[in-house]
Amino acid sequence: NAGVTQTPKFRILKIGQSMTLQCTQDMNHNYMYWYRQDPGMGLKLIYYSVGAGITDKGEVPNGYNVSRSTTEDFPLRLELAAPSQTSVYFCASSWGGPPGAQYFGPGTRLLVL
Amino acid sequence: ELKVEQNPLFLSMQEGKNYTIYCNYSTTSDRLYWYRQDPGKSLESLFVLLSNGAVKQEGRLMASLDTKARLSTLHITAAVHDLSATYFCAVDSSGTYKYIFGTGTRLKVLA
């Protein structure tokens, strides 16, 4: 099992550009999550999904969009990138039932200039 | 709104010493998780605490949960350099599997 995979690993965007961060898991987990981690800070939940076709906002959803058409994939879309979106983005997945521990991907480092 | 606070934020300790990291949260929850993050790396799960009074131990780390006090502790026994990392607690918001993370505790163990 590859677990949770994310692409790309690193990306530089210009202000106003758009991009999609990809996330795939092969553990058949129902729940998937997107977090951002600013330097020296904790994780902030952007969006999460409890199953294909179902998504909900987290703590910091503004400037982002998600979709969940399959169990395996949960892409995060950035529209009109801004310097404030410079961060490391982590995707995670979990069963959705006890025990509920999350499995994290390796992260995508995004720099908006 | 669920808030999760950790203290201390930074901890520098000598090898062989004991210390405790605290995780306080603001609303009722029976599920609390501890994660470790090495510099520049992703997060890995350490402990899952699912009920009041739960205690889990792995090597030199022991985690406990007091849901009535809304407090979890991560106790480090006889620290070694390999434990240097950032430790996060995360709380399940009202049983929804929507997790709120603490600010993290950056631990540095000095030889």
Side-chain angles (χ1 to χ4, degrees):
Chain A
N1 285 350
V4 180
T5 57
Q6 292 182 238
T7 57
K9 292 183 180 180
F10 176 68
R11 181 78 180 267
I12 298 175
L13 278 183
K14 294 182 179 179
I15 293 172
Q17 287 185 320
S18 300
M19 76 165 294
T20 299
L21 281 66
Q22 301 292 344
C23 175
T24 299
Q25 54 92 8
D26 63 358
M27 296 173 283
N28 202 31
H29 285 170
N30 290 323
Y31 283 47
M32 296 187 73
Y33 309 81
W34 275 106
Y35 295 92
R36 60 175 288 172
Q37 183 178 34
D38 297 332
M41 304 293 286
L43 278 72
K44 296 290 186 183
L45 181 63
I46 305 172
Y47 272 96
Y48 69 111
S49 169
V50 302
I54 306 171
T55 62
D56 203 355
K57 296 178 181 179
E59 301 169 272
V60 290
N62 291 344
Y64 306 94
N65 279 299
V66 293
S67 60
R68 182 100 181 266
S69 58
T70 67
T71 299
E72 295 78 21
D73 300 306
F74 190 40
L76 177 71
R77 178 81 176 164
L78 278 71
E79 305 281 2
L80 299 175
S84 62
Q85 293 178 306
T86 293
S87 191
V88 179
Y89 292 83
F90 289 103
C91 178
S93 70
S94 71
W95 285 112
Q102 294 178 297
Y103 294 78
F104 282 82
T108 294
R109 187 175 301 271
L110 177 66
L111 180 61
V112 182
L113 300 175
Chain B
E1 180 186 347
L2 173 61
K3 293 190 184 299
V4 182
E5 296 184 346
Q6 289 180 236
N7 69 83
L9 297 182
F10 299 98
L11 178 55
S12 180
M13 56 191 299
Q14 296 289 328
E15 277 193 333
K17 298 293 186 181
N18 303 334
Y19 209 84
T20 300
I21 298 170
Y22 297 89
C23 174
N24 293 273
Y25 53 98
S26 61
T27 64
T28 302
S29 177
D30 290 333
R31 286 191 280 261
L32 190 138
Y33 306 82
W34 284 95
Y35 293 88
R36 169 180 171 145
Q37 185 180 36
D38 291 314
K41 302 294 186 181
S42 187
L43 284 78
E44 63 174 314
S45 177
L46 289 175
F47 298 110
V48 177
L49 303 169
L50 298 179
S51 61
N52 186 43
V55 178
K56 295 283 184 71
Q57 182 164 5
E58 178 75 31
R60 300 174 187 274
L61 300 177
M62 183 174 71
S64 65
L65 177 62
D66 182 344
T67 59
K68 294 179 181 178
R70 298 177 185 172
L71 171 69
S72 180
T73 60
L74 180 65
H75 186 73
I76 303 157
T77 301
V80 293
H81 179 72
D82 286 351
L83 290 179
S84 297
T86 299
Y87 294 86
F88 292 96
C89 63
V91 180
D92 178 358
S93 175
S94 303
T96 62
Y97 296 98
K98 175 181 174 181
Y99 304 94
I100 303 300
F101 277 74
T103 47
T105 295
R106 187 178 299 177
L107 172 65
K108 186 173 184 179
V109 181
L110 305 174

